[in-house]
Amino acid sequence: MDKKEQQLFAYYYTKFADRNFDEKDLYSFMMLVREEAQDNENIKELGNFIAQRENSTGYVNQYLDECKQIISQLGSGVKTKKIEDIFSFKEIRNGFNTLFLKNGFDKLSSEIINDFILCIISLLQDVKLVSGNLNKVVGHLSFAVSSKEIFLMGNMRTLNKGRYIPVTFQILSAENRYEKIKAQDKNDTPYLFNEELIEVINSDGEVLITFPDIQPTT
C-alpha cells in the first residue's frame, strides 16, 4: 500500500474500533483493500462479491453455482448436499483480523466483526443469481431477519412435480444484536425483504438497521 492508502486504512480502522461506521464506510474499506487482500481469500472474495455482484468469479461463482445445482435437484430423488454459509463467522473474523495485524493494527472484537457481516449482508441485497449457460436471471439475494439472527438469503424457484415452487436458502448470517424482533412463529421463521431495501446506519456510535416494513417489539 502506498502512503495515501495507508492513511485511508488508518482512518477506517479508527472508525471501526470506535464503532462509528455504517455500511458505506465498510464498502469503501473493502474497495480500498481488494488488492491488499489478494493473499487473504475470505476478504478478497467478499470484496470481489460486493464489487462485482452477479459478475463475481472465482470461489463466489463456484459457490453460487453449487447452490443453484442443489436447488435444481430438490424433489428429484437425488440426495443433495446441505447448503452451508459462504464463509463462517470464524473465517470472516480471522480474515479481517489477519488483515489488520498485517498492517500494524490490533484485532477487532467479535462484536465489531458481527457488525461487518451485517453490513456485508446489507450490501449484497438484490444481487441477481444468473444461470451461466443461459445468462438468465434465476433468482436473487435478499435481506432477512429473525429474533436471533440476520441473514443473506438466496431466492430461487425449482420444478417439482410439474410445478415451480419457491425455495429460500441461507448464504450468510450474523447475530441479531440490533433490534428486538417478534418471532413470526415457533420456528422463528425470518422476515424476508425482497422489495424493500434495508440500510445499516450509525447514530452516535450505535449500529442500527432501517426496517421499512416491520415493527420491532417494544
Side-chain angles (χ1 to χ4, degrees):
M1 300 179 83
D2 61 35
K3 290 182 180 179
K4 174 52 69 174
E5 290 173 317
Q6 291 170 3
Q7 182 187 54
L8 290 168
F9 192 107
Y11 167 79
Y12 286 116
Y13 179 86
T14 299
K15 289 179 75 72
F16 298 152
D18 292 342
R19 210 164 177 239
N20 187 29
F21 66 96
D22 59 23
E23 65 180 41
K24 298 180 182 68
D25 293 312
L26 187 69
Y27 178 88
S28 297
F29 178 75
M30 296 297 281
M31 298 306 100
L32 173 68
V33 300
R34 280 177 71 197
E35 291 300 321
E36 174 75 2
Q38 287 303 301
D39 60 347
N40 187 328
E41 182 181 16
N42 303 334
I43 306 308
K44 176 189 73 173
E45 292 290 347
L46 286 171
N48 289 341
F49 197 4
I50 292 167
Q52 298 171 346
R53 304 183 79 75
E54 59 261 29
N55 296 316
S56 289
T57 57
Y59 175 76
V60 169
N61 186 58
Q62 295 171 19
Y63 170 85
L64 292 175
D65 279 348
E66 184 173 7
C67 290
K68 295 173 209 168
Q69 181 68 21
I70 291 171
I71 298 302
S72 70
Q73 292 176 344
L74 293 177
S76 66
V78 176
K79 185 177 181 180
T80 59
K81 291 174 57 178
K82 179 182 176 182
I83 295 177
E84 304 286 352
D85 281 6
I86 186 168
F87 293 116
S88 68
F89 178 89
K90 181 178 179 180
E91 288 172 324
I92 295 172
R93 181 197 64 197
N94 291 349
F96 274 112
N97 282 331
T98 295
L99 185 64
F100 295 136
L101 289 171
K102 178 182 176 182
N103 285 276
F105 297 93
D106 292 334
K107 295 179 180 180
L108 292 178
S109 68
S110 293
E111 181 181 36
I112 295 173
I113 301 300
N114 198 76
D115 296 340
F116 286 179
I117 299 174
L118 168 65
C119 290
I120 291 167
I121 289 170
S122 182
L123 290 168
L124 289 171
Q125 289 174 88
D126 205 41
V127 169
K128 303 297 185 293
L129 299 176
V130 180
S131 171
N133 295 331
L134 304 174
N135 198 28
K136 176 183 176 183
V137 175
V138 295
H140 67 281
L141 306 185
S142 58
F143 189 105
V145 60
S146 71
S147 66
K148 295 179 181 178
E149 292 184 276
I150 293 161
F151 305 96
L152 180 67
M153 303 295 276
N155 303 271
M156 289 181 60
R157 295 193 308 159
T158 188
L159 190 62
N160 188 331
K161 298 180 180 179
R163 293 191 310 129
Y164 279 100
I165 59 171
V167 178
T168 303
F169 54 97
Q170 179 179 321
I171 289 178
L172 194 59
S173 61
E175 185 178 346
N176 183 6
R177 302 178 176 183
Y178 309 95
E179 296 283 358
K180 291 182 179 179
I181 302 296
K182 183 177 180 180
Q184 289 201 80
D185 51 37
K186 65 180 181 181
N187 296 319
D188 200 14
T189 301
Y191 294 88
L192 189 64
F193 295 89
N194 278 321
E195 302 298 332
E196 309 90 344
L197 278 179
I198 306 302
E199 184 177 1
V200 178
I201 61 174
N202 196 294
S203 177
D204 298 324
E206 184 179 3
V207 175
L208 302 171
I209 309 169
T210 63
F211 286 118
D213 197 54
I214 184 174
Q215 291 297 323
T217 60
T218 58

